[in-house]
Amino acid sequence: MLTHLNNLWQRLRASLWLVPSVMCLAAFGLALLADKLDRIYHVSGDGRWPKWLIYQGDLEGARTLLSSVAGSMITVAGTTFSITMVVLQLASSQFGPRLLTNFMRDTGNQFVLGTFVSTFLYCLLALGNGGGISGEPPAVSATLGLLLAVLSVFVFIYFIHHVSSTIRAEHVVQMVAFGSVNAIKRLTSPSEQDVDQDFSLDDALSGHEIHVRALRSGYLQAIDEQGLSDTASSLDGVFKVHFRPGKFITANDCLATLFTSQAKNKNSDDYSGYFIIGHCRTDEQDPEYGISQLVEVAVRALSPGINDPHTAISCIDWLNSGLKEIANQPLKSDYCCDEEGELRLVRCNSDFAGLLNTAYDQIRQNSIASPAVAIHLAEALADLYQVTESETRRGSVHHQAQLILTAAKQSQWLESDLEDLENRYQRLN
C-alpha cells in the first residue's frame, strides 16, 4: 500500500496542475473570507479599521480595480504558460524528452502559474460578492486584490530569473544528478530482514508454484516488497521475483513465482497488485533510470549537432560522484527474511557492475571522437578505482578503462592524446 501511495505521490509531483489547483482552492476560500470581512467592515464602521490599510474608494472604483487585476493576471498567466512551453521544448530538444518530468516537477514553475491563476480567480469571485451589502464597495476584497497584484509583480520577476536559470546546462545536470545519486544511495540501505548468506534455494523454492502474471504491458515501476514478504510469511512460502523495476513487461509475463505448501492457494491471482506497471520508467526503485537520464544528457552533448564536451565532462563527474559513494558499500541483498529468519523473498537486484556499465558504456562509445571527454572518463575511472576496495568491483572498473584504451588505439588519435590516455590508464594497474 505504501508503495502504491508513494508512486501516486511521485506522479502528482510531476503534474503541472497540482500546485495551481491547490492555490485556486485557496483563492476560493480567501474570496469567501473577504466577503465576510466586508460585511463586518460595513457593520462596525470604518472608524475601527486603519484607513491607510483598507481601500477607501467607491463601489465603481473597487469593481474597476478588481476587473483590471483579473484581466491583467489572466494575460500574464497566458504569457507565463507560453514561456514555460518554450522552455520545455528547448529542454526536450537539447537534453532529451525524458527530462521533461524534472521541469514539470519544478515547484517554482508550479507556484508562479498558480499565483497568477489564483489571483485571477480571486478577483473574479470578489467581483460577484459586491461587498456583502448592496451599494457598499467591497473594501476588504479590493484591498486583498491589490495586495495580490503587487505580490504577482514580484512573482513575475522571480519567474524571469528562475526560468533563465533552469535552462542552463549546469543546472540541468545538477538537477538530474541529485535524483540519480539519491536513487543509487537507496541501493545501499538494506533493511533488517536483508541477509547476505546463501540459502539452499532448492529446498526453499519448492512446493506448489503460483505464477504471478502481468495484467498489461508496460514498464515495471515499483514492487511492494514488504507486501510480498508479509504474504509469503502468512502462506509459509517464498516469493521469487523475476524482474527488477525498470524492465519492460509484456502482458501475461511471469512477474514472480510463489512457492508454497498450501495447495488451496494454487490458482490465486491476487498478487499482481504488488507490482506497479506504467507507461514509463521512474527512479523511485530504478536507479539505472536516473543514471540513464544523466547519460542521455552527456550523449546528446557529444552529438555533432550540439558538440558540447564541457556538459559531457560535467555529467561524468556527477556519475563518478554517485558511484564513489557506493564503491565500498554493501548493496541490498537478494534475500529477504521475516522476523523469524525464514526466507520469504528473493529479489532481482542491480549490482555494481551493472550500474557502472549503465553509467559509462554509452558515454565511452560516443566519446572516442572527442579525446578530451575520453581522457576525462579514463581519469574518472582511475579515481573510482583508487577508492574501491573490492577486487571484483575493481575488475569491472578496470575493464571499462581497458575498453577506452582499446578503442582509442583503433582510432586516429594524435600521439600526445593517446599518451595522455595511457597515463590515466596506468593509474589502474
Side-chain angles (χ1 to χ4, degrees):
M1 178 62 68
L2 292 177
T3 302
H4 286 268
L5 291 176
N6 187 60
N7 187 266
L8 178 61
W9 169 244
Q10 294 297 329
R11 292 184 179 181
L12 289 177
R13 283 186 58 202
S15 301
L16 193 61
W17 55 265
L18 176 62
V19 174
S21 298
V22 173
M23 296 179 70
C24 285
L25 292 177
F28 181 79
L30 182 62
L32 295 179
L33 177 62
D35 183 55
K36 297 294 184 182
L37 293 176
D38 279 326
R39 294 175 183 271
I40 297 174
Y41 175 77
H42 292 305
V43 171
S44 63
D46 57 1
R48 300 181 181 181
W49 298 68
K51 292 185 177 181
W52 60 271
L53 185 61
I54 303 299
Y55 175 79
Q56 299 297 315
D58 56 7
L59 177 59
E60 187 63 27
R63 288 179 174 175
T64 302
L65 172 63
L66 290 173
S67 61
S68 299
V69 173
S72 60
M73 284 302 103
I74 198 62
T75 302
V76 174
T79 303
T80 303
F81 184 76
S82 300
I83 295 176
T84 303
M85 290 299 101
V86 172
V87 171
L88 293 178
Q89 183 179 8
L90 176 63
S92 176
S93 61
Q94 185 170 356
F95 303 115
R98 276 155 292 279
L99 269 67
L100 290 182
T101 303
N102 297 281
F103 287 91
M104 295 173 63
R105 190 183 298 173
D106 189 278
T107 308
N109 292 335
Q110 297 178 2
F111 173 75
V112 170
L113 187 59
T115 299
F116 298 146
V117 176
S118 59
T119 300
F120 163 76
L121 180 61
Y122 167 81
C123 293
L124 203 62
L125 295 172
L127 280 171
N129 289 338
I133 298 178
S134 178
E136 296 292 339
V140 178
S141 298
T143 302
L144 290 177
L146 182 60
L147 291 177
L148 288 176
V150 174
L151 174 63
S152 299
V153 172
F154 289 99
V155 170
F156 187 72
I157 295 174
Y158 160 79
F159 173 73
I160 297 300
H161 168 75
H162 179 72
V163 75
S164 61
S165 300
T166 54
I167 61 176
R168 294 173 58 243
E170 295 85 354
H171 175 84
V172 174
V173 171
Q174 190 274 334
M175 177 178 60
V176 178
F178 181 77
S180 302
V181 171
N182 287 339
I184 293 175
K185 286 181 178 179
R186 283 194 287 269
L187 285 178
T188 63
S189 303
S191 64
E192 296 179 356
Q193 287 75 32
D194 287 358
V195 291
D196 294 327
Q197 68 188 69
D198 293 330
F199 287 88
S200 177
L201 294 182
D202 293 336
D203 296 335
L205 305 181
S206 60
H208 299 284
E209 297 183 9
I210 303 174
H211 300 288
V212 183
R213 300 194 178 276
L215 302 180
R216 62 193 181 98
S217 300
Y219 287 98
L220 182 58
Q221 296 179 336
I223 302 175
D224 186 358
E225 296 181 351
Q226 187 61 49
L228 289 174
S229 180
D230 293 342
T231 301
S233 180
S234 64
L235 299 175
D236 191 23
V238 179
F239 269 107
K240 182 179 180 181
V241 179
H242 301 304
F243 298 95
R244 62 174 178 265
K247 296 298 182 180
F248 187 83
I249 306 298
T250 304
N252 207 39
D253 276 351
C254 183
L255 298 173
T257 302
L258 172 62
F259 297 86
T260 177
S261 59
Q262 301 186 20
K264 62 181 180 179
N265 294 301
K266 186 174 181 179
N267 297 321
S268 175
D269 58 353
D270 300 331
Y271 310 122
S272 58
Y274 293 122
F275 300 85
I276 298 177
I277 298 177
H279 66 280
C280 62
R281 297 172 66 180
T282 64
D283 59 2
E284 181 60 29
Q285 294 185 9
D286 181 15
E288 292 185 5
Y289 178 63
I291 294 175
S292 298
Q293 286 183 308
L294 208 54
V295 170
E296 182 176 5
V297 176
V299 171
R300 283 178 174 268
L302 291 172
S303 64
I306 298 178
N307 192 20
D308 183 12
H310 296 288
T311 298
I313 290 175
S314 179
C315 292
I316 293 173
D317 291 336
W318 282 105
L319 287 170
N320 210 52
S321 173
L323 292 173
K324 287 170 70 174
E325 291 196 28
I326 67 168
N328 299 312
Q329 299 292 329
L331 301 183
K332 293 178 66 174
S333 172
D334 290 338
Y335 308 112
C336 180
C337 296
D338 58 14
E339 296 179 354
E340 285 74 26
E342 296 291 334
L343 178 64
R344 296 306 179 194
L345 180 64
V346 180
R347 302 188 183 101
C348 182
N349 283 333
S350 301
D351 57 6
F352 182 82
L355 295 176
L356 181 70
N357 294 336
T358 302
Y360 290 142
D361 273 349
Q362 293 188 51
I363 298 179
R364 169 179 53 79
Q365 295 162 0
N366 289 272
S367 65
I368 298 303
S370 179
V373 178
I375 292 173
H376 189 82
L377 178 57
E379 185 174 354
L381 290 170
D383 292 338
L384 180 60
Y385 184 87
Q386 295 296 326
V387 301
T388 304
E389 298 176 357
S390 170
E391 290 299 327
T392 302
R393 295 182 179 183
R394 275 191 162 196
S396 300
V397 177
H398 186 276
H399 177 67
Q400 278 288 341
Q402 190 175 25
L403 291 176
I404 297 175
L405 183 60
T406 301
K409 288 182 177 180
Q410 296 176 355
S411 303
Q412 296 180 352
W413 277 30
L414 296 177
E415 289 295 333
S416 58
D417 293 335
L418 190 59
E419 183 178 351
D420 288 341
L421 181 62
E422 290 176 342
N423 290 336
R424 270 70 171 183
Y425 179 77
Q426 292 302 321
R427 293 177 55 189
L428 284 83
N429 298 322

